[in-house]
Amino acid sequence: MAIRLGLSLPQARQYDIGRDVPGVARAAEQIGYESVWVYERALFPEPATQGLYGVPGLPWPDHYRGVPDPLVTLTLAAGATERVRLGTGVLVAPLHNPFQLAKALATLDAASGGRLTVGFGTGWSLDEYAAAGVAPFEERGRILDEVLDVCRAVWGPDPVTYDGYITKIASSVVGPKPAGPIPVLLPANSKKALTRLVDRADGWLPVAMGSDQLAEQWRQVHDLAAERGRTEPIRVVARANTQYTPKAYDGDDRAPFRGSVGQIVEDLAAHAESGVEEFFLDLQSTTRDGQELQDVAAEVYEAVRTAGL
């Protein structure tokens, strides 16, 4: 079975959002990609009070400056396409009011004809939590659980009622409803997060950072699912953060998905041996504009299919 491929939409600062997002989304659909994806970065603290991913001293990449809102970006893509699925990889759920987020996602799914897949995460930026003002960083897991509960309620039949920590919904009609079930994916970097994934989500959203690591993580998900008696299949979509270069990278310490199109395809093949059958590629950080992103995306897709993946 051929692997399923998605493509991240252009959200970095070098792109023209109004022009490049619809253009890249249309091109991805025409090329053959099955999905398009967005991520969330709410702000860029300057000077940084916290390192990237919370690692002291690790600088934030420049392309995190001015990242557009993920749902507005997906809405632009939805209006420009007919077939591709629309994914968030990921939305930092606790930065959002749970009720408003659930309603916005239902509206986008209804408007797009049931094409939405939602990836939720908890994030790591203290500055983003302070700016959002929904809940403190220390309560991120609790708020993610409430977002999952509220989405289930709002997306379900009327009347909707909910009495939670920060969300209170009196008996109400809440529409529009999603066009179909919205798959919810979660990353999982701890035992608690893995348990939430197995118990509450439709699928797993890892970052592909090494073929052996991905295979081991996937085994852990399977093992915990068996331990907890889950019988429903777990969908998995792996994010591949690429650093594309026109020429092959010849260093001995080449990181996964860093290098030429051929090297990116080699890394996809290695990661697919883990049993993961769906990936989305983030090519945007090293392409200069929307047209170059489309050209590289087309070249990668053709090379993947030529390689029999």
Side-chain angles (χ1 to χ4, degrees):
M1 179 179 176
I3 61 172
R4 297 184 294 279
L5 278 181
L7 181 70
S8 284
L9 291 169
Q11 292 176 275
R13 64 185 306 198
Q14 68 264 38
Y15 299 102
D16 182 302
I17 302 306
R19 180 190 66 222
D20 291 337
V21 169
V24 171
R26 278 192 296 267
E29 186 168 78
Q30 292 165 0
I31 291 166
Y33 285 92
E34 296 187 26
S35 55
V36 292
W37 295 79
V38 295
Y39 70 96
E40 182 161 33
R41 191 83 286 128
L43 48 72
F44 188 101
E46 197 170 44
T49 56
Q50 179 189 27
L52 183 69
Y53 311 130
V55 179
L58 188 63
W60 291 45
D62 193 62
H63 63 261
Y64 277 179
R65 295 175 181 270
V67 176
D69 179 86
L71 295 188
V72 173
T73 305
L74 271 191
T75 300
L76 290 169
T81 57
E82 297 179 353
R83 174 186 57 79
V84 289
R85 290 200 61 83
L86 311 164
T88 67
V90 296
L91 278 178
V92 185
L95 301 183
H96 301 265
N97 174 282
F99 174 76
Q100 292 173 330
L101 179 59
K103 184 174 172 67
L105 292 169
T107 302
L108 179 53
D109 190 72
S112 66
R115 291 190 278 147
L116 186 61
T117 296
V118 175
F120 285 139
T122 55
W124 47 266
S125 171
L126 301 177
D127 292 292
E128 290 183 338
Y129 272 81
V134 174
F137 181 77
E138 293 75 19
E139 296 184 356
R140 60 196 182 278
R142 181 178 188 177
I143 303 305
L144 174 56
D145 284 331
E146 183 155 322
V147 168
L148 294 172
D149 289 339
V150 172
C151 284
R152 184 181 297 111
V154 168
W155 299 345
D158 294 320
V160 175
T161 61
Y162 185 79
D163 186 8
Y165 176 49
I166 61 173
T167 309
K168 314 290 182 182
I169 308 173
S171 181
S172 304
V173 174
V174 183
K177 300 298 183 185
I182 300 178
V184 174
L185 313 180
L186 298 174
N189 298 311
S190 67
K191 180 62 179 294
K192 187 173 183 179
L194 273 172
T195 301
R196 180 186 288 116
L197 159 67
V198 167
D199 290 351
R200 308 205 59 190
D202 299 293
W204 178 43
L205 193 59
V207 177
M209 299 177 66
S211 55
D212 292 341
Q213 180 185 40
L214 184 63
E216 174 59 21
Q217 291 174 326
W218 192 209
R219 184 192 63 77
Q220 291 174 6
V221 173
H222 276 296
D223 289 349
L224 186 61
E227 177 185 320
R228 297 186 68 82
R230 174 165 176 153
T231 57
E232 299 86 357
I234 296 176
R235 179 183 173 187
V236 54
V237 184
R239 177 190 185 98
N241 295 319
T242 70
Q243 290 184 300
Y244 162 75
T245 58
K247 295 183 179 180
Y249 181 80
D250 58 3
D252 294 334
D253 58 345
R254 186 179 71 87
F257 300 104
R258 177 184 180 185
S260 65
V261 167
Q263 290 173 322
I264 292 170
V265 174
E266 288 176 8
D267 291 333
L268 271 175
H271 283 74
E273 290 180 3
S274 67
V276 174
E277 297 176 343
E278 187 170 359
F279 297 83
F280 70 94
L281 305 175
D282 191 340
L283 297 163
Q284 66 180 297
S285 66
T286 49
T287 50
R288 293 166 295 182
D289 54 33
Q291 186 58 58
E292 184 178 16
L293 177 54
Q294 293 177 40
D295 293 343
V296 174
E299 186 179 355
V300 170
Y301 186 89
E302 178 62 26
V304 168
R305 297 311 181 208
T306 299
L309 299 176

